[in-house]
Amino acid sequence: MPTAIGFSRFGAPEVLHPLQIETPCPGPGQALVRVRAAGVNPVDCKIRRGDFTGAEPEHFPQRLGNEFAGTVVAMGPDTPAESAIAVGTDVLGSTAAQAYAESLVVDTEGLAVKPPSVPWEMAGGLPAAGQTARTALSRLEVGAGDVVLVHAAAGGVGTLAVQLAGELGAQVIGTASEANHDYLRRLGAAPVRYGPGLTERVRALAPEGVDAALDLVGGEAVITSLALVRDRYRIGTTVDQGAVAEHGVQRVGGRSHAALQEVVDLAAADRLTLPVRTFPLGDAASAHRAVETGHVRGKVILTVY
């Protein structure tokens, strides 16, 4: 029986434990994927902690994981003969709360073919961060000549947003700790230290103004963006729903197969980089601890070999 990682109560990373699951069977339009790598995202930690609990009773055990890369080992019935996805195809894609596992069933329409040149670990971290970054930039109408401020630019979404904005012809300013400033310069961004005085430091780098801002941390990042960007509809946040309601900024991110394919194509052309830190599937607790430090450069990945 395949192994998955889940939890039977909310709590610290230690609540994560192996689960033995039945081998899932793909239905029409679906594929069974043998997972090789799965991305770990901050939302996984929030779910594990119980941050989203409501009035409805919770059901356990619960599983985690929204992105993966692996190999198709079975196809559901009625698969079109001309489909690009077939048994033996290496793929990557996104799912909902099941990617921390040795195998999973997904709809084929959400899959992209993994280029041979893209390592498994990188492929496992591209779907969620890549789709979020690309769809966010699209919603903010980022284009050539724009000055874009990316908050938390050294993380997974930030790393890809910096590079994708550059591909669109924008000038990028990225906030990060000083330890990541050289890293951001290599990605093509002008780095700036977050914290008190951030607004003035950004203005010094962009005296003619900032056209759009992407917030990946919430709180003061949105307030700073409001002081710098004239059109608040060009301020987007992936995390701060309160700011959306209070200030009228956009809630951005989301999934788009076109966005995923664009990211995959750029990675295949060696025009995107995504540093990863890996942990074996059975050590998901350590992976969560790393993410919860808030200082991961790129992505944390669970490997399944």
Side-chain angles (χ1 to χ4, degrees):
M1 297 176 68
T3 297
I5 299 297
F7 57 98
S8 298
R9 60 183 175 87
F10 297 121
E14 291 73 23
V15 302
L16 296 173
H17 61 87
L19 302 170
Q20 297 304 305
I21 60 174
E22 297 289 338
T23 301
C25 182
Q30 295 184 319
L32 173 62
V33 177
R34 192 272 199 202
V35 178
R36 298 289 297 274
V40 180
N41 294 290
V43 69
D44 300 340
C45 301
K46 294 177 181 179
I47 293 170
R48 187 211 74 232
R49 293 195 302 255
D51 291 3
F52 303 125
T53 56
E56 294 297 319
E58 299 295 335
H59 300 282
F60 295 105
Q62 293 187 27
R63 290 172 55 188
L64 294 168
N66 297 325
E67 61 182 343
F68 65 91
T71 302
V72 174
V73 295
M75 297 289 295
D78 303 323
T79 302
E82 67 276 11
S83 174
I85 308 298
V87 173
T89 305
D90 293 335
V91 296
L92 65 156
S94 53
T95 184
Q98 63 166 336
Y100 292 11
E102 293 176 335
S103 62
L104 54 79
V105 162
V106 290
D107 293 337
T108 58
E109 64 182 13
L111 296 174
V113 176
K114 186 188 86 68
S117 61
V118 177
W120 283 113
E121 295 83 1
M122 179 178 176
L126 279 176
Q131 290 180 90
T132 298
R134 186 62 189 90
T135 58
L137 295 174
S138 178
R139 287 284 300 276
L140 297 177
E141 301 179 354
V142 172
D146 282 337
V147 176
V148 181
L149 174 62
V150 177
H151 296 276
V157 177
T159 286
L160 294 176
V162 165
Q163 296 171 86
L164 291 168
E167 289 284 335
L168 294 169
Q171 173 189 339
V172 184
I173 298 171
T175 72
S177 65
E178 291 186 5
N180 282 316
H181 282 196
D182 285 343
Y183 169 67
L184 291 186
R185 292 187 185 98
R186 293 195 295 272
L187 295 180
V192 61
R193 176 174 51 85
Y194 50 72
L198 174 60
T199 301
E200 290 70 26
R201 290 192 292 275
V202 173
R203 283 186 174 138
L205 291 172
E208 296 185 9
V210 174
D211 299 293
L214 175 57
D215 161 47
L216 304 172
V217 291
E220 284 301 313
V222 174
I223 303 304
T224 297
S225 300
L226 288 165
L228 292 165
V229 180
R230 289 183 295 274
D231 182 358
R232 65 183 56 197
Y233 196 70
R234 298 193 72 190
I235 300 171
T237 180
T238 62
V239 294
D240 196 337
Q241 188 60 41
V244 173
E246 182 178 355
H247 301 294
V249 302
Q250 287 203 68
R251 178 74 162 88
V252 296
R255 299 180 183 180
S256 159
H257 189 266
L260 175 62
Q261 191 60 57
E262 181 178 342
V263 169
V264 169
D265 291 343
L266 287 169
D270 199 26
R271 289 161 61 184
L272 288 181
T273 185
L274 181 65
V276 298
R277 182 178 176 187
T278 63
F279 296 85
L281 179 66
D283 197 14
S286 292
H288 274 225
R289 291 187 198 99
V291 169
E292 288 181 317
T293 67
H295 297 293
V296 172
R297 179 183 294 181
K299 291 295 293 283
V300 168
I301 302 296
L302 296 175
T303 55
V304 189
Y305 292 114

